[in-house]
Amino acid sequence: MVARTAREILRWLEGLYLTYPVVMPKWDLSNGYAYAEILHAYFPKEINMFAFVNGRSLNARLLNWTLVKQFIAKRNLAISMDFIDATLHGKDGGAEGLLEQTYQLLTNKVPFTDPVYERDNVFSDHPYQQNLSYYEQAHASKSIKNNLKVSELLTDPSYAYQSKRCRAILDQARTDRQAIRASNPGRFRVKPTLAERCLREPLQSDSNPQDWFMKSFDSRSRSVTSITNKSNSIKHQSRNGSGVLLKKNSLSLARLDKEHIEANEDNVLYKEIILRQHAVPLGDLLQTTES
């Protein structure tokens, strides 16, 4: 949900008799003039309102917030600079968090905040977008416009910063789009991939890897033999290849009864494991089972 201001904070602001009422903190506090009036109500001798400019330009905002930061540093007030920067650039949740922190500092009261209205640490609109339907959420370019303000680009014209912020926004948008497609496969006509359709059951924890491979090897040997005999009967080919294959299989099975599987390229059984690429990890097959 979108961030909102507590009712007791709004009543507190009305009691200060500001020149311009704070209706939408995200926009009304962005230039720093209204926030300077809040501090002037508690520190009238230290805040000179004639030094502030009531304008919407970037230079006016930077001037006002620079004076506010100097006063906060001078008085050593416990106000986060991250909230100030987020309010300056008009980011979601910045002005609301700044008002809550200022209210708690000046009145020594803790405002009530609704836990449903979430805020993230980077002051993005991602919590708000997650509460919308998937067809109402912003696309990638709109997300960049909402979360990367023009004033940020002007105050910090670093291409590395811009590319980093854009990459983070696009990665988040891609992750959200993949989650939407996974939760609504029928609408987006998502088809399972070949790997998803060929998944095999994992090896049971109480079974022996070598016994499991022996059973699968026997079934594969029988299937290979039947297919070879059928193709030879149809095409009238010689059965030398199948005979050699059965001979190699019998030798490998006899070797398996006597010793464990070794990672040797001359071992026929080891080649069979590599070629078939079973779901069981090769390390589990090569490990010595503990009795």
Side-chain angles (χ1 to χ4, degrees):
M1 302 292 288
V2 66
R4 68 175 184 178
T5 308
R7 182 176 299 178
E8 51 188 318
I9 295 180
L10 295 177
R11 290 199 301 263
W12 169 64
L13 292 176
E14 291 178 357
L16 297 179
Y17 299 102
L18 303 177
T19 305
Y20 300 97
V22 178
V23 180
M24 291 292 294
K26 179 179 179 180
W27 308 116
D28 297 335
L29 296 179
S30 61
N31 63 345
Y33 188 85
Y35 188 77
E37 281 193 323
I38 296 174
L39 297 179
H40 176 74
Y42 287 87
F43 307 97
K45 295 183 179 180
E46 300 183 35
I47 297 293
N48 184 13
M49 292 305 301
F50 293 102
F52 293 87
V53 180
N54 188 12
R56 303 293 301 179
S57 63
L58 181 60
N59 293 332
R61 285 187 285 172
L62 292 176
L63 174 62
N64 294 341
W65 284 113
T66 300
L67 296 176
V68 171
K69 289 180 180 180
Q70 290 177 358
F71 172 75
I72 292 174
K74 179 181 178 181
R75 296 284 301 185
N76 196 16
L77 301 179
I79 296 178
S80 175
M81 294 299 169
D82 294 336
F83 285 125
I84 293 179
D85 294 336
T87 306
L88 187 154
H89 299 301
K91 307 193 75 172
D92 293 336
E96 291 79 3
L98 181 62
L99 283 178
E100 292 176 4
Q101 203 171 46
T102 306
Y103 174 80
Q104 184 175 357
L105 177 66
L106 297 179
T107 63
N108 200 18
K109 298 178 182 179
V110 179
F112 172 77
T113 55
D114 196 344
V116 177
Y117 295 83
E118 300 178 354
R119 302 171 189 165
D120 54 2
N121 297 327
V122 295
F123 306 104
S124 66
D125 65 339
H126 184 259
Y128 168 72
Q129 296 290 336
Q130 292 300 306
N131 288 276
L132 299 176
S133 302
Y134 61 88
Y135 53 84
E136 297 177 339
Q137 296 182 10
H139 45 79
S141 60
K142 183 63 175 178
S143 300
I144 294 177
K145 181 181 179 181
N146 292 341
N147 299 314
L148 189 60
K149 304 298 182 179
V150 179
S151 56
E152 289 184 276
L153 304 180
L154 295 176
T155 54
D156 190 358
S158 174
Y159 289 106
Y161 172 78
Q162 298 176 15
S163 61
K164 181 180 179 180
R165 291 284 294 119
C166 291
R167 191 181 303 110
I169 295 171
L170 291 177
D171 291 343
Q172 184 64 52
R174 187 181 300 108
T175 303
D176 295 341
R177 185 167 63 252
Q178 291 175 356
I180 292 173
R181 290 174 61 87
S183 59
N184 301 276
R187 178 175 178 83
F188 295 96
R189 298 179 182 179
V190 179
K191 297 181 180 180
T193 61
L194 182 61
E196 293 174 349
R197 288 182 290 177
C198 297
L199 289 178
R200 299 184 180 182
E201 296 183 357
L203 181 66
Q204 300 296 330
S205 59
D206 56 346
S207 61
N208 190 355
Q210 293 187 0
D211 296 341
W212 177 86
F213 184 78
M214 284 284 294
K215 295 179 181 179
S216 63
F217 187 83
D218 293 339
S219 61
R220 287 184 292 106
S221 299
R222 289 192 297 269
S223 61
V224 169
T225 305
S226 60
I227 293 173
T228 305
N229 293 335
K230 184 181 294 185
S231 61
N232 290 339
S233 61
I234 295 175
K235 298 181 180 181
H236 302 284
Q237 295 180 353
S238 61
R239 299 184 181 181
N240 295 331
S242 60
V244 172
L245 179 60
L246 292 176
K247 184 177 181 180
K248 289 183 179 179
N249 293 340
S250 60
L251 291 176
S252 60
L253 292 175
R255 184 180 301 175
L256 185 61
D257 295 337
K258 297 180 180 180
E259 58 184 3
H260 297 287
I261 305 172
E262 296 181 356
N264 187 4
E265 295 183 356
D266 297 333
N267 193 340
V268 180
L269 188 55
Y270 178 77
K271 290 183 179 180
E272 185 71 13
I273 297 173
I274 299 299
L275 293 177
R276 294 295 179 179
Q277 297 179 355
H278 282 279
V280 179
L282 184 60
D284 295 345
L285 295 178
L286 298 180
Q287 279 184 350
T288 305
T289 58
E290 296 180 359
S291 57

